[in-house]
Amino acid sequence: SQQGEEDPQALSIQEGENATMNCSYKTSINNLQWYRQNSGRGLVHLILIRSNEREKHSGRLRVTLDTSKKSSSLLITASRAADTASYFCATDPLGGGSQGNLIFGKGTKLSVKP
Amino acid sequence: NAGVMQNPRHLVRRRGQEARLRCSPMKGHSHVYWYRQLPEEGLKFMVYLQKENIIDESGMPKERFSAEFPKEGPSILRIQQVVRGDSAAYFCASLATGSYEQYFGPGTRLTVT
């Protein structure tokens, strides 16, 4: 089964609301990263959280990591229509054998309505 | 500093033809990763290369697929005798030594007719 599974699969909110996306994974990790992908485009790196960190902030983004539950959440506060995109978590597995062999989930499609 | 470049952006091939996808990493980055993305799916790791070396090809199909990253020039992902199931978006990402943040290119969308 897949490492890094996001839920919900799709999320629709109004502009100004907060959006929370969750990610679960199965094996121990070095770090977990969140990426954004606009339709038909490449991925943009949002934030990285290391296995020994519990929370990290970057602008309107807040990421938490619970290694005991093997889960992470991405919170986008005060969402904007421009935040509409797919969001992926990616894990860098511990002892993965090669640097940076990221394992991606299927993503959460976020739609922010003006 | 230009980002990761991929070309072509769109590629159409008939079944049985060869597809060559190119990736130029960011300046100063010596690690290149190739991923494949099927519609409505996340990215799947294919291969990890450093200059002139394949480090990890565990995600690459054993047949028809090959990758290289020569001393000079871009990294190439080559798919021989393409089949319809090869239709996907192929992304490459580059990484600086000692970093964990991968920078992705815009992708090549391969359509096999």
Side-chain angles (χ1 to χ4, degrees):
Chain A
S1 52
Q2 183 150 348
Q3 176 96 327
E5 297 194 7
E6 296 91 339
D7 82 86
Q9 291 186 348
L11 180 61
S12 182
I13 59 174
Q14 294 294 131
E15 213 166 23
E17 293 181 338
N18 295 342
T20 299
M21 288 160 268
N22 302 298
C23 169
S24 60
Y25 58 92
K26 297 190 187 314
T27 63
S28 297
I29 59 172
N30 288 312
N31 61 73
L32 184 145
Q33 304 178 39
W34 284 91
Y35 287 83
R36 184 185 73 216
Q37 184 180 36
N38 289 83
S39 182
R41 304 284 187 93
L43 275 72
V44 173
H45 186 270
L46 294 176
I47 198 163
L48 178 152
I49 187 164
R50 297 180 195 277
S51 59
N52 61 353
E53 296 176 312
R54 292 297 164 257
E55 189 171 310
K56 207 159 181 183
H57 296 254
S58 176
R60 293 185 296 113
L61 305 180
R62 174 177 166 252
V63 168
T64 61
L65 179 65
D66 187 336
T67 51
S68 66
K69 294 182 180 175
K70 291 188 168 57
S71 68
S72 172
S73 68
L74 171 67
L75 168 67
I76 304 174
T77 59
S79 62
R80 305 166 183 167
D83 294 329
T84 295
S86 291
Y87 291 81
F88 295 90
C89 73
T91 51
D92 181 3
L94 192 63
S98 64
Q99 176 191 1
N101 177 352
L102 297 178
I103 302 174
F104 284 82
K106 292 186 178 181
T108 293
K109 262 190 181 171
L110 174 66
S111 174
V112 182
K113 297 179 180 168
Chain B
N1 187 8
V4 178
M5 313 269 286
Q6 286 188 252
N7 68 80
R9 294 291 308 275
H10 299 273
L11 182 62
V12 180
R13 285 285 177 267
R14 290 200 184 96
R15 276 180 297 171
Q17 290 185 320
E18 178 180 289
R20 278 182 176 244
L21 289 63
R22 294 175 190 76
C23 168
S24 296
M26 284 185 72
K27 191 175 179 182
H29 287 192
S30 58
H31 306 259
V32 166
Y33 303 81
W34 285 93
Y35 295 86
R36 177 164 63 179
Q37 185 179 33
L38 296 170
E40 307 301 320
E41 297 276 328
L43 276 69
K44 294 282 196 300
F45 166 78
M46 298 181 74
V47 62
Y48 160 42
L49 309 106
Q50 292 181 20
K51 284 283 185 183
E52 298 185 278
N53 286 305
I54 297 174
I55 307 301
D56 182 352
E57 55 183 348
S58 58
M60 199 135 82
K62 295 279 185 281
E63 296 178 352
R64 302 188 298 108
F65 285 72
S66 62
E68 62 176 10
F69 188 14
K71 191 175 177 182
E72 302 290 338
S75 175
I76 307 281
L77 179 68
R78 183 179 173 211
I79 311 172
Q80 295 177 291
Q81 297 170 358
V82 295
V83 301
R84 288 226 171 101
D86 297 332
S87 295
Y90 291 83
F91 291 94
C92 81
S94 73
L95 183 79
T97 300
S99 170
Y100 290 100
E101 182 178 337
Q102 295 189 19
Y103 290 82
F104 281 80
T108 293
R109 271 146 192 87
L110 172 66
T111 302
V112 179
T113 60

